[in-house]
Amino acid sequence: QKYETACYKYAPYRFMQLFQNDFGEFAENCLKLDRAYRNSCFSIMGLAAMKLNKSDSSEAKALCNYAPSGEARNLCTFGAARASLWREEEQDNALKFCVFLNDVAVKDQCYGEVFTRAKDIFSFQDAYSAFCAKTEPQYRNTCFNFKPKQVSTY
């Protein structure tokens, strides 16, 4: 019991090693985790899906379909969106990932994740503006005026 919390916390990373490209197995094992750790497991599943498919975001989306529909699949999608943009050269694939999403609320969240990452990555306003110009028309103004959520620190 002493190491139970750490075990649950790191289980999804171990799933990445154990199941590699078998996302059905990955999702099945996330469901076996204690409820307190299940959400992060599906989010990490999305990270793994995008990590394996940096150049093909449609495949990352397809891998998240192994997660049960609803919250688990949304968490996988958010994890993939978070992992889609770490360098400027990944911007097109990150934006494509959001385009592939049909559910408006999930798409909004995807763009929120990508815009947050973009604010961190693009050090010059011109580069960020060029990035925003590539977004779907209905998201451009949101991108241009995007302010990342402030995390409170005590």
Side-chain angles (χ1 to χ4, degrees), residues 10 15 17 26 33 36 38-40 48-50 52 59 68-69 79 87 89 108 110 120 126 128 130-131 139 153:
Y10 294 107
F15 295 167
Q17 294 173 327
F26 197 127
L33 291 177
R38 205 173 295 155
N39 287 353
S40 76
M50 186 57 76
L52 289 172
E59 184 59 27
S69 62
R87 296 185 313 270
E89 58 269 17
D108 289 349
C110 182
D120 290 339
D126 289 349
Y128 183 76
F131 165 80
Y139 287 94
T153 54

Side-chain angles (χ1 to χ4, degrees), residues 5 9 11 24 27 40 45 47 52 63 69 73-74 84 86 88 90 98 104 107 118 121 123 126 129 134 139 142 146:
T5 299
K9 182 178 178 183
S40 76
M45 181 178 158
L47 178 143
L52 289 172
L63 291 174
S69 62
R73 190 169 299 161
N74 291 347
S84 68
W86 287 95
E88 285 188 38
E90 296 171 339
C98 295
V104 174
K107 186 181 281 240
I121 291 168
S123 50
D126 289 349
S129 294
K134 296 179 183 182
Y139 287 94
T142 304
F146 188 75

